[in-house]
Amino acid sequence: MAELTFAQKISLVKAIKTEIISFPAYRYRKLRDLLTFCEDPKDVDVVLKAVMALCEVFTDIIPSYKIREQGGENDDQPKDGEKGRSIKTSKETEALQTQEQFILKCYKDYLQVLEVFSKIKIGKMSKDSDDKSKTFAFYERLRLQSVESYCTLLERHPHFNYRMNILQLVCHKLSNQDISVRSMATRCIKRLLKVDNNSLLSFKLDILKQL
């Protein structure tokens, strides 16, 4: 996508975001396109828009249940007397499973992107820039947006996959030197602990253990 102009990239990010949210069952594979826009941190404005778009998309399309990862330890094992029994899966179920696994993989990749950006050494990144103050401000925004995305996803979907990974990263930010990062993480943890939902009691205990 390097041949696209800045304006075209921004427009495309917005269009893809709208497309996925409007038709997730048919356009979920375009998540990979949005992730592609996150690959070049030198194009900070586009990366920032892509990070924000992905957060909005995942917040909207993540299901209200935890997705079972195929090939993982949680896969169902055949019970006694069931070995050799053929299980017929409908095309609709197969399509849903394919969609869920793709979304989960992209979600995992996105979380890894956020982790990298949330740990950006702003001074180092802007050291060789012609306009250090502008570059510093860009990378600061990117770092803050990454932390904000973590917090948003954890608050909106505390039941979903990788919640402990996100929680650990957010809790780590509670002692960050940047007051904006520290405040963001603190607000997130406080809001989670205040949620009136009995199904999150065990998760709240996990939060307290991290503090």
Side-chain angles (χ1 to χ4, degrees), residues 121-180:
K121 302 296 183 183
I122 302 177
K124 183 178 179 180
M125 296 297 289
S126 58
K127 182 178 179 181
D128 299 324
S129 173
D130 294 333
D131 190 340
K132 291 184 179 181
S133 60
K134 183 177 181 180
T135 303
F136 187 94
F138 277 154
Y139 282 111
E140 186 176 40
R141 286 172 57 201
L142 181 56
R143 185 174 66 179
L144 285 174
Q145 182 57 52
S146 299
V147 176
E148 183 177 349
S149 296
Y150 266 139
C151 295
T152 299
L153 292 169
L154 191 60
E155 288 182 51
R156 291 291 297 276
H157 299 286
H159 64 280
F160 199 58
N161 301 58
Y162 313 125
R163 67 179 186 178
M164 287 305 300
N165 303 69
I166 303 175
L167 174 62
Q168 290 170 1
L169 286 161
V170 171
C171 286
H172 182 69
K173 301 300 181 185
L174 292 172
S175 58
N176 195 276
Q177 294 181 346
D178 188 327
I179 188 172
S180 297

Side-chain angles (χ1 to χ4, degrees), residues 1-17 33-34 37 43 45-46 49:
M1 297 184 184
E3 68 279 3
L4 297 176
T5 65
F6 171 77
Q8 288 174 327
K9 289 179 181 179
I10 295 296
S11 179
L12 187 55
V13 166
K14 184 177 180 179
I16 293 174
K17 178 194 73 174
D33 293 335
L34 286 180
F37 281 113
D43 201 352
D45 266 336
V46 174
K49 293 294 184 183

Side-chain angles (χ1 to χ4, degrees), residues 17-209:
K17 178 194 73 174
T18 302
E19 220 178 318
I20 299 173
I21 292 176
S22 300
F23 308 101
Y26 303 101
R27 296 291 184 266
Y28 65 89
R29 291 189 180 277
K30 286 186 174 289
L31 283 167
R32 188 58 60 189
D33 293 335
L34 286 180
L35 282 168
T36 300
F37 281 113
C38 296
E39 292 178 355
D40 183 11
K42 291 182 180 180
D43 201 352
V44 183
D45 266 336
V46 174
V47 172
L48 183 62
K49 293 294 184 183
V51 167
M52 294 170 66
L54 279 163
C55 181
E56 188 174 340
V57 168
F58 281 121
T59 298
D60 191 88
I61 71 172
I62 283 177
S64 58
Y65 52 87
K66 186 176 181 179
I67 295 176
R68 178 172 306 207
E69 294 186 72
Q70 291 182 356
E73 294 180 356
N74 293 327
D75 280 355
D76 286 334
Q77 298 297 322
K79 299 177 182 179
D80 292 339
E82 291 185 349
K83 293 181 179 180
R85 180 185 300 175
S86 60
I87 301 176
K88 295 183 179 179
T89 306
S90 68
K91 290 183 178 180
E92 291 80 5
T93 301
E94 285 186 4
L96 178 59
Q97 289 177 344
T98 299
Q99 176 183 339
E100 288 180 340
Q101 293 304 310
F102 189 91
I103 289 175
L104 189 58
K105 178 61 171 65
C106 289
Y107 186 63
K108 184 177 182 179
D109 291 346
Y110 177 55
L111 294 180
Q112 292 173 342
V113 167
L114 292 181
E115 182 175 5
V116 172
F117 290 158
S118 70
K119 296 178 179 179
I120 283 178
K121 302 296 183 183
I122 302 177
K124 183 178 179 180
M125 296 297 289
S126 58
K127 182 178 179 181
D128 299 324
S129 173
D130 294 333
D131 190 340
K132 291 184 179 181
S133 60
K134 183 177 181 180
T135 303
F136 187 94
F138 277 154
Y139 282 111
E140 186 176 40
R141 286 172 57 201
L142 181 56
R143 185 174 66 179
L144 285 174
Q145 182 57 52
S146 299
V147 176
E148 183 177 349
S149 296
Y150 266 139
C151 295
T152 299
L153 292 169
L154 191 60
E155 288 182 51
R156 291 291 297 276
H157 299 286
H159 64 280
F160 199 58
N161 301 58
Y162 313 125
R163 67 179 186 178
M164 287 305 300
N165 303 69
I166 303 175
L167 174 62
Q168 290 170 1
L169 286 161
V170 171
C171 286
H172 182 69
K173 301 300 181 185
L174 292 172
S175 58
N176 195 276
Q177 294 181 346
D178 188 327
I179 188 172
S180 297
V181 171
R182 192 165 63 246
S183 298
M184 199 175 291
T186 301
R187 286 195 300 270
C188 174
I189 296 302
K190 285 183 176 179
R191 284 194 288 257
L192 284 169
L193 290 173
K194 289 181 180 179
V195 173
D196 185 14
N197 187 334
N198 290 333
S199 67
L200 292 178
L201 287 178
S202 63
F203 185 51
K204 288 183 178 182
L205 289 176
D206 288 331
I207 294 175
L208 294 175
K209 289 177 183 178

